[in-house]
Amino acid sequence: QKEVEQNSGPLSVPEGAIASLNCTYSDRVSQSFFWYRQYSGKSPELIMSIYSNGDKEDGRFTAQLNKASQYVSLLIRDSQPSDSATYLCAVNPLYSGGGADGLTFGKGTHLIIQP
Amino acid sequence: DTAVSQTPKYLVTQMGNDKSIKCEQNLGHDTMYWYKQDSKKFLKIMFSYNNKELIINETVPNRFSPKSPDKAHLNLHINSLELGDSAVYFCASSPEGDTQYFGPGTRLTVL
C-alpha cells in the first residue's frame, strides 16, 4: 500500500518568513514527486515537480528531495497572505512510460500566512 | 481556452439515481484520470485511461464506470447513487502519465 504522509496543520507562518512543508512516502520505487496548491473550493494547481535528489528552485519556491530518507519538502520564501492554502504532496512510482496508476496524494498541510 | 473542463460544476441528486459527469481536455494528452476528494479533503485516484486501457482502483465500487468516447473525453457514470458518494470529483489529464493537470471539479451531493 503506497502512502504519503503530511502534517495536516494548520501551519501558521508570519508574512515574509519562510514556510516549510514536509512529506514522507512509503513506496521506495517512487520516482517523481509533486507539490500541488489547493485553495478552498478550487482544484489542485501544480507548484513544483522534482525527480532527483537535492534542491530545485522556482521563484520563491524550493522543493527538496531525499530518496534515501523517503522525504520531500517545500520551502516558500517571503511568504505572502496569498500563499495561504492547502499544500498537497503527491508521488508517482513511474517517471515515464506509464504512471497510469495515478498519483498518490497526502492529506495536505493547511498553511496560514499571518499578515 | 480551458485546458481541462468538467460539467456540471454542481450536481445535487437523490439516493438511487444514476448520474454522469463529463470531462474534456484540449491539451492533446494521452492519459486521463478521475479522482475523488472526500469531505476530509483526501484526494484519491479512481480510474486512469490511456489508449483504451482502463486501470481501476480496486477500492472503487462497480457502480462507477468511466467511459471514453475519444482521447479528449473521459466521462464518469455512477449508478444507484449512495450518500457516501457525496464528494468533489476531479478529472485530470497527463501528457506522459506523470505531471497531472486538474479540471475545476464537480461537487456531487447525494440526498
Side-chain angles (χ1 to χ4, degrees):
Chain A
Q1 177 87 16
K2 296 176 280 189
E3 290 185 354
V4 177
E5 299 288 339
Q6 294 181 256
N7 188 323
S8 61
L11 174 64
S12 188
V13 173
E15 183 175 357
I18 296 175
S20 177
L21 304 161
N22 304 315
C23 169
T24 58
Y25 59 95
S26 63
D27 190 349
R28 284 196 170 272
V29 302
S30 297
Q31 292 294 324
S32 48
F33 307 85
F34 306 88
W35 283 99
Y36 282 82
R37 177 176 64 197
Q38 187 174 25
Y39 293 113
S40 181
K42 300 295 185 182
S43 59
E45 171 192 9
L46 182 67
I47 298 295
M48 294 280 287
S49 59
I50 187 166
Y51 303 96
S52 305
N53 281 328
D55 294 0
K56 179 181 177 183
E57 187 174 318
D58 184 0
R60 296 186 296 112
F61 299 95
T62 298
Q64 299 174 317
L65 174 61
N66 183 325
K67 290 186 180 180
S69 300
Q70 295 175 241
Y71 178 89
V72 193
S73 66
L74 180 70
L75 301 178
I76 306 174
R77 288 181 299 282
D78 188 23
S79 297
Q80 302 297 310
S82 60
D83 295 326
S84 297
T86 296
Y87 288 80
L88 303 169
C89 175
V91 304
N92 190 357
L94 298 175
Y95 175 47
S96 63
D101 286 348
L103 299 180
T104 300
F105 281 85
K107 293 187 178 180
T109 297
H110 183 45
L111 176 66
I112 299 171
I113 306 300
Q114 296 177 320
Chain B
D1 59 347
T2 305
V4 182
S5 59
Q6 293 178 230
T7 54
K9 191 172 172 67
Y10 301 97
L11 184 53
V12 181
T13 188
Q14 299 287 331
M15 266 196 323
N17 284 350
D18 302 339
K19 290 293 179 186
S20 292
I21 307 172
K22 295 185 176 181
C23 177
E24 176 181 1
Q25 55 98 1
N26 61 6
L27 298 167
H29 291 169
D30 290 327
T31 309
M32 296 183 71
Y33 307 81
W34 279 105
Y35 286 85
K36 178 181 180 181
Q37 190 168 45
D38 61 25
S39 58
K40 296 183 179 179
K41 309 299 183 188
F42 191 30
L43 196 59
K44 268 190 99 169
I45 182 72
M46 299 178 71
F47 304 100
S48 64
Y49 200 87
N50 182 335
N51 286 332
K52 302 188 188 302
E53 181 191 10
L54 176 64
I55 297 177
I56 302 172
N57 184 314
E58 61 186 11
T59 67
V60 176
N62 59 14
R63 298 181 294 103
F64 290 79
S65 55
K67 298 187 192 305
S68 180
D70 55 58
K71 198 172 105 166
H73 296 84
L74 183 64
N75 304 323
L76 182 65
H77 189 75
I78 316 168
N79 289 327
S80 303
L81 278 156
E82 300 178 357
L83 292 176
D85 298 333
S86 295
V88 180
Y89 292 85
F90 288 102
C91 177
S93 72
S94 175
E96 75 288 328
D98 199 36
T99 304
Q100 296 182 21
Y101 300 89
F102 285 82
T106 296
R107 182 174 293 276
L108 172 65
T109 302
V110 182
L111 303 175

